[in-house]
Amino acid sequence: MLNLDLERELRLAPTVQFRLGGDDWRAIELVAGEGDRRVQATLDEPAIVRFLLALRRPVRVGAALELAEAELGHQRQQALGFIAMLEERGVLVAANAPNPYASEAAQRWIRWGWRDALDYHLSVRNMRFSSGDAEGMAEQVAALGEQLRAAHSGAAEPSPGPYKDYPDAPRIALPKSREQIDAATVGRALYKRRTCRKFNGRTLDKAVFAELMQHSFGLTSELDLGDMGPHVRRTTPSGGARHPVEVYAVVFRVEDVAPGLYHYSVREHGLEQLREGDFSQQVYHLGHQQTGLQNVSAALFFTARWD
């Protein structure tokens, strides 16, 4: 909560941006530090915008209270609660708080026009930056180990495991094979590749579908990294071997698979049925109403596990 020392100075966090979108002010709150998250709020009250903009430079708590009373019409207790909430959410910070944009590296990103990318980087990281040499990597491994031990002790939220499962969903096992991929060549794959918008509506062989899922998204091996926990390897790279992308298949015409919505299980190399039925209209709508989508055998959707 807010320290009631009226002489203490606060300022608007440097990670907060204001953008004018249509007739509304849009405030982007990006809080750097432990457990940070990106939050976007629409502010349709110009008085709140004026109040926040006035705090871009350090202001005493007492002066901020007077400003909230004058600009927003708050009573003293209401103003106290409002400022306390803004500080708790990271919109307001102590005047001497470190500025994540002060470094030369950050300024370079901004000069390149990468402010949004820098905001994203600052808002999703939860560890101090380390260099990529042996010393820096050892430092990161140690930090990850500390996080894991804190999670085991209940002092922190546990890191999610490498697998996402729907344990109550009916499952369909998929066969494993290398027949088609071993018969192919890189050159043939590159030069036969096409962006297709005209599908023939035929039923896809289950073996073909299974190999597509296996070699694109399936598990190649599992690693036990001690303090860093279990990790998986796939045919595609991923930062820290975290593999946050999950794949959902909307099946229309695949041999021995009922039409419906499925989650691809990396752990089991199989399909977990979430809903049965015809979802052609939904896929048509989500695919910008491209007529070719009405004849696909299956449509794959990719999602990210943000945690």
Side-chain angles (χ1 to χ4, degrees), residues 181-192:
I181 197 168
D182 284 346
T185 65
V186 173
R188 178 178 173 80
L190 289 176
Y191 285 94
K192 290 279 288 183

Side-chain angles (χ1 to χ4, degrees), residues 113-181:
W114 291 0
R115 172 66 188 256
D116 285 348
L118 177 60
D119 288 337
Y120 180 76
H121 169 71
L122 290 173
S123 66
V124 299
R125 68 179 184 177
N126 59 3
M127 287 199 306
R128 189 169 65 83
F129 175 78
S130 299
S131 60
D133 56 19
E135 183 178 350
M137 294 303 292
E139 188 178 71
Q140 284 211 350
V141 169
L144 286 168
E146 285 181 19
Q147 286 189 352
L148 197 68
R149 286 188 290 274
H152 287 327
S153 70
E157 186 176 344
S159 176
Y163 301 108
K164 179 172 183 177
D165 300 301
Y166 291 87
D168 298 327
R171 295 190 176 185
I172 299 175
L174 295 176
K176 285 190 175 182
S177 170
R178 293 180 57 100
E179 180 179 351
Q180 295 173 83
I181 197 168

Side-chain angles (χ1 to χ4, degrees), residues 186-199:
V186 173
R188 178 178 173 80
L190 289 176
Y191 285 94
K192 290 279 288 183
R193 193 213 68 78
R194 296 290 184 274
T195 297
C196 180
R197 288 187 174 84
K198 292 182 179 179
F199 299 94

Side-chain angles (χ1 to χ4, degrees), residues 16 30 57 73 117-118 160 174-175 187 243 261 288 299 306:
V16 173
L30 297 164
R57 293 183 177 179
L118 177 60
L174 295 176
H243 291 288
L261 171 64
H288 301 286
W306 292 108

Side-chain angles (χ1 to χ4, degrees), residues 15-67:
T15 45
V16 173
Q17 292 184 72
F18 290 92
R19 296 172 182 168
L20 186 61
D23 296 327
D24 296 329
W25 279 97
R26 296 190 175 276
I28 310 298
E29 176 196 337
L30 297 164
V31 187
E34 286 296 319
D36 31 23
R37 291 294 181 266
R38 179 174 183 139
V39 180
Q40 174 170 308
T42 301
L43 298 177
D44 56 4
E45 297 184 37
I48 295 180
V49 176
R50 288 197 301 270
F51 169 77
L52 293 175
L53 289 176
L55 299 177
R56 284 181 294 182
R57 293 183 177 179
V59 173
R60 291 185 302 106
V61 170
L65 288 172
E66 294 174 2
L67 188 63

Side-chain angles (χ1 to χ4, degrees), residues 7-306:
E7 297 301 316
R8 193 164 66 95
E9 291 190 328
L10 296 174
R11 64 179 170 88
L12 189 67
T15 45
V16 173
Q17 292 184 72
F18 290 92
R19 296 172 182 168
L20 186 61
D23 296 327
D24 296 329
W25 279 97
R26 296 190 175 276
I28 310 298
E29 176 196 337
L30 297 164
V31 187
E34 286 296 319
D36 31 23
R37 291 294 181 266
R38 179 174 183 139
V39 180
Q40 174 170 308
T42 301
L43 298 177
D44 56 4
E45 297 184 37
I48 295 180
V49 176
R50 288 197 301 270
F51 169 77
L52 293 175
L53 289 176
L55 299 177
R56 284 181 294 182
R57 293 183 177 179
V59 173
R60 291 185 302 106
V61 170
L65 288 172
E66 294 174 2
L67 188 63
E69 293 170 351
E71 285 284 355
L72 307 177
H74 286 176
Q75 299 298 320
R76 176 55 58 109
Q77 283 303 116
Q78 187 182 7
L80 279 169
F82 182 61
I83 292 174
M85 181 272 291
L86 292 176
E87 188 173 17
E88 184 180 347
R89 299 288 180 87
V91 178
L92 298 180
V93 296
N96 59 355
N99 183 350
Y101 296 92
S103 70
E104 172 55 31
Q107 290 300 312
R108 192 179 304 127
W109 283 43
I110 293 171
R111 287 197 300 271
W112 289 339
W114 291 0
R115 172 66 188 256
D116 285 348
L118 177 60
D119 288 337
Y120 180 76
H121 169 71
L122 290 173
S123 66
V124 299
R125 68 179 184 177
N126 59 3
M127 287 199 306
R128 189 169 65 83
F129 175 78
S130 299
S131 60
D133 56 19
E135 183 178 350
M137 294 303 292
E139 188 178 71
Q140 284 211 350
V141 169
L144 286 168
E146 285 181 19
Q147 286 189 352
L148 197 68
R149 286 188 290 274
H152 287 327
S153 70
E157 186 176 344
S159 176
Y163 301 108
K164 179 172 183 177
D165 300 301
Y166 291 87
D168 298 327
R171 295 190 176 185
I172 299 175
L174 295 176
K176 285 190 175 182
S177 170
R178 293 180 57 100
E179 180 179 351
Q180 295 173 83
I181 197 168
D182 284 346
T185 65
V186 173
R188 178 178 173 80
L190 289 176
Y191 285 94
K192 290 279 288 183
R193 193 213 68 78
R194 296 290 184 274
T195 297
C196 180
R197 288 187 174 84
K198 292 182 179 179
F199 299 94
N200 56 22
R202 73 177 177 87
T203 298
L204 194 62
D205 292 340
K206 187 175 183 180
V208 172
F209 179 79
E211 273 213 46
L212 171 67
M213 303 301 286
Q214 175 187 341
H215 303 313
S216 299
F217 318 114
L219 175 72
T220 58
S221 65
E222 188 178 79
L223 300 169
D224 182 357
L225 298 182
D227 283 346
M228 291 171 60
H231 285 58
V232 298
R233 284 177 173 154
R234 303 191 197 179
T235 55
T236 52
S238 175
R242 299 308 295 161
H243 291 288
V245 175
E246 296 291 320
V247 181
Y248 292 81
V250 183
V251 172
F252 300 110
R253 288 171 287 275
V254 175
E255 179 187 15
D256 296 333
V257 180
L261 171 64
Y262 297 84
H263 171 252
Y264 174 67
S265 171
V266 176
R267 188 197 300 270
E268 302 292 342
H269 179 52
L271 298 176
E272 297 170 318
Q273 187 184 69
L274 305 182
R275 294 184 186 179
E276 188 174 359
D278 180 3
F279 295 96
S280 55
Q281 286 304 307
Q282 289 89 332
V283 171
Y284 175 65
H285 172 72
L286 292 172
H288 301 286
Q289 301 182 7
Q290 297 182 63
T291 54
L293 290 174
Q294 296 170 326
N295 293 317
V296 296
S297 303
L300 303 182
F301 289 85
F302 301 83
T303 67
R305 297 169 63 194
W306 292 108

